[in-house]
Amino acid sequence: MNLTELFCHVDDFCQLVTRTEQHRLLTSGVRQRQGELWDSEIMTILIHFHQAHYRTFKAYYTEYVQVHLRGEFPKLVSYNRFVQLTPRVLVLLCAYLHACFGVCTGISLIDSTPLKVCHNRRIAQHKTFAGLAQRGKNSVDWFFGFKLHLVVNDCGELLACCLTAGNRDDRRPVPKLVKRLFGKLFGDKGYLSQDLFEQLWGQRVHLVTKLKTTMKNRLMDMTDKLLQRQRAIMETIIDQLKNISQIEHTRHRSPLNFMVNLVCGLIAYAHQPKKPSLHLVGDTEFAILIQN
């Protein structure tokens, strides 16, 4: 999706939301002043940054937007003013992200990844996320920050996501994440829980995980075993989110701008034309599995 297509898609969504919001404001007698840039223009620039392969937003805005996109955005403001404007579109970005979610196909994958906000040596002096970020531990190391929980379908499309503190158990947000889902949900050993399995079963979701080495072995359907082996595409998706969409860095100076950066990175991935996929479309065996 190029810049023009992205702006048209975002602007159509904003106009739909604006018509509803203006009707509410007019009936309540409240007037809202339009700023220098339209919300759709701010959102387009923020999302396009995550598609432009720049390492910092300041370099992208000052070296690319202000130099090459003057014609597309005639009312551009200074970099400092633009940073002040970004928090006002956070709610719109969250709503737009939900509009970009894919459709559940009956086969879903879930995983979480840490989002560090500072180096471990600077935890004691870190102030930006004081009281919000927490120390957590994954399979690699300790970290200070948050956890991003993701659910995708077999085509690599986002189905649900949420952000929690770094010390939150991976199993806690699962019931809310799978409210709109059905079929089978594949996760790693961190989601292993009999209570969670029974709760999700009541929500029409079959949780499939590997067993720990200390647990008794049990029979598993061959199809489930094969799909469980393909769960590694979650690592590919997370790697693309962090290294291409750049949802993680330690230069944030505001929690709101941190959220804007995260949501825009997820939207940029949702618009990505080629996503990691299990390539199950058209397979008769898996079609029968979904129907059952």
Side-chain angles (χ1 to χ4, degrees):
M1 182 177 290
N2 58 35
L3 182 63
T4 303
E5 294 173 340
L6 176 62
F7 174 76
C8 292
H9 199 269
V10 172
D11 191 59
D12 289 343
F13 174 82
C14 289
Q15 288 185 20
L16 179 64
V17 174
T18 302
R19 284 196 293 268
T20 305
E21 182 66 13
Q22 283 181 344
H23 176 72
R24 185 186 67 82
L25 293 174
L26 288 173
T27 54
S28 61
V30 178
R31 293 185 179 181
Q32 188 175 25
R33 178 181 175 271
Q34 175 61 40
E36 301 93 330
L37 288 172
W38 291 92
D39 291 342
S40 56
E41 293 179 312
I42 299 174
M43 293 169 63
T44 301
I45 293 173
L46 290 170
I47 297 169
H48 189 256
F49 158 67
H50 295 271
Q51 301 173 334
H53 307 294
Y54 276 79
R55 298 306 299 173
T56 64
F57 181 76
K58 184 175 184 179
Y60 163 77
Y61 191 83
T62 57
E63 298 175 9
Y64 181 74
V65 177
Q66 291 185 323
V67 175
H68 301 287
L69 299 182
R70 285 282 181 182
E72 287 79 359
F73 304 100
K75 295 185 178 180
L76 278 178
V77 296
S78 66
Y79 168 74
N80 292 333
R81 178 56 181 160
F82 188 89
V83 172
Q84 293 174 350
L85 294 174
T86 54
R88 90 179 190 195
V89 298
L90 177 57
V91 176
L92 272 175
L93 285 168
C94 292
Y96 182 63
L97 173 61
H98 278 268
C100 296
F101 282 162
V103 179
C104 180
T105 60
I107 298 177
S108 309
L109 303 97
I110 187 171
D111 204 354
S112 67
T113 182
L115 297 179
K116 300 179 182 179
V117 297
C118 74
H119 193 277
N120 288 345
R121 294 180 180 178
R122 297 194 295 272
I123 294 177
Q125 62 190 32
H126 185 80
K127 297 180 180 180
T128 304
F129 296 95
L132 298 174
Q134 298 292 336
R135 297 185 189 223
K137 188 178 187 300
N138 61 357
S139 57
V140 179
D141 194 10
W142 289 91
F143 68 94
F144 181 73
F146 302 92
K147 278 185 180 180
L148 176 64
H149 305 265
L150 297 170
V151 181
V152 304
N153 60 17
D154 59 289
C155 299
E157 299 172 334
L158 294 176
L159 298 178
C161 64
C162 74
L163 189 71
T164 63
N167 58 355
R168 182 64 63 90
D169 191 333
D170 288 348
R171 295 167 289 190
R172 291 284 295 276
V174 175
K176 292 183 179 179
L177 286 172
V178 302
K179 276 186 176 181
R180 302 185 302 112
L181 308 186
F182 63 90
K184 295 182 182 287
L185 177 67
F186 294 88
D188 58 19
K189 297 178 182 179
Y191 297 95
L192 189 61
S193 168
Q194 184 64 29
D195 293 337
L196 179 61
F197 175 86
E198 294 175 356
Q199 184 177 358
L200 297 185
W201 186 263
Q203 298 179 216
R204 301 186 306 152
V205 177
H206 179 197
L207 178 62
V208 181
T209 62
K210 287 185 177 181
L211 297 177
K212 294 182 179 180
T213 55
T214 57
M215 299 177 64
K216 293 183 179 179
N217 194 13
R218 65 182 180 187
L219 293 176
M220 181 183 293
D221 187 81
M222 181 58 67
T223 305
D224 293 346
K225 186 174 293 186
L226 293 174
L227 287 173
Q228 182 66 34
R229 293 176 182 174
Q230 301 300 319
R231 205 195 61 82
I233 69 164
M234 288 298 298
E235 305 300 331
T236 305
I237 293 172
I238 291 172
D239 180 73
Q240 291 186 5
L241 285 171
K242 289 189 173 182
N243 296 306
I244 298 178
S245 298
Q246 300 186 56
I247 63 171
E248 180 187 42
H249 66 77
T250 58
R251 302 182 299 274
H252 294 292
R253 295 297 176 262
S254 166
L256 289 178
N257 288 340
F258 162 76
M259 288 299 302
V260 168
N261 180 79
L262 173 60
V263 175
C264 288
L266 294 173
I267 294 173
Y269 170 80
H271 286 314
Q272 192 172 296
K274 292 185 178 180
K275 302 179 180 65
S277 172
L278 296 181
H279 305 290
L280 304 180
V281 178
D283 194 312
T284 305
E285 180 181 355
F286 286 108
I288 295 174
L289 171 66
I290 293 172
Q291 292 175 0
N292 295 335

